[in-house]
Amino acid sequence: MGASASSEPALVTSAPSPGADVHAQVVALLDATTRTGAPSDDAWKRLGPGAAPVLSALVVDKGTPTARRTLAVSSLALVDPSGGAVTIRDVLEDEKAPAVVRASAADALRRCLGLDAIPTLITRLQDPESLVREAVAVALGRLGGQQARQALEDRLPIEERALVREALQRGLTLVEP
């Protein structure tokens, strides 16, 4: 049996050679993710820094399929946490972007900025999309701290959607006392 145990596409098993089509490799890795689950961090690292601008372009391209944009947001946080944060924040704040992409951006921003993401995330607790509010509540809970706890506690009594209230509660249980 000569089959590889890896679920990652062969296209990205080594660092791209100079002039290689990084865009095609990024798209192949994103597409493989939808079929087989998230690729390893090493798969993204092998693509190198050239993957960041490609991922950023896919994140903001309204013509890119929503599922691919969603994966591109979370992958950008992995490939270029500091450089990708601006793009990720912009997508999170773009109320015209699909809610699922923006929800992914909430967690990606948490991973990029850590505690520095809290002020932006707090503003999104009032987002018109309940899916975004749910993701923000959990992201704030994972970040923890008094500021996150206070924002979650403040939002809980005024939140009308049951699923968002559950996410706020979940966020509160994640916050360290």
Side-chain angles (χ1 to χ4, degrees), residues 9-17 19-32 43-44 46-48 51 54-55 58:
L11 186 59
V12 292
T13 57
S14 63
S17 60
D21 188 358
V22 176
H23 183 274
Q25 291 181 340
V26 166
V27 169
L29 195 51
L30 291 172
D31 288 349
W44 286 110
R46 282 193 299 266
L47 284 177
V54 174
L55 287 165
L58 290 170

Side-chain angles (χ1 to χ4, degrees), residues 54-120:
V54 174
L55 287 165
S56 290
L58 290 170
V59 166
V60 299
D61 180 10
K62 292 172 179 42
T64 298
T66 299
R68 188 178 287 163
R69 286 179 74 188
T70 302
L71 291 169
V73 167
S74 58
S75 300
L76 180 58
L78 180 65
V79 169
D80 187 12
S82 58
V86 172
T87 300
I88 292 167
R89 180 183 292 123
D90 289 347
V91 168
L92 175 60
E93 294 176 342
D94 179 5
E95 294 183 6
K96 293 180 183 174
V100 68
V101 174
R102 297 176 59 233
S104 179
D107 188 58
L109 191 64
R110 171 193 66 85
R111 288 184 281 129
C112 286
L113 298 179
L115 296 175
D116 291 337
I118 290 176
T120 300

Side-chain angles (χ1 to χ4, degrees), residues 4 6 10 16 22 32 55 71 76-77 82 87 100 113 117 121 124 126 136 158-159 167 170 172:
S4 168
S6 173
V22 176
L55 287 165
L71 291 169
L76 180 58
S82 58
T87 300
V100 68
L113 298 179
L121 291 171
R124 301 313 334 155
Q126 297 178 30
V136 166
I158 59 174
E159 178 56 56
R170 192 167 50 251
L172 284 167

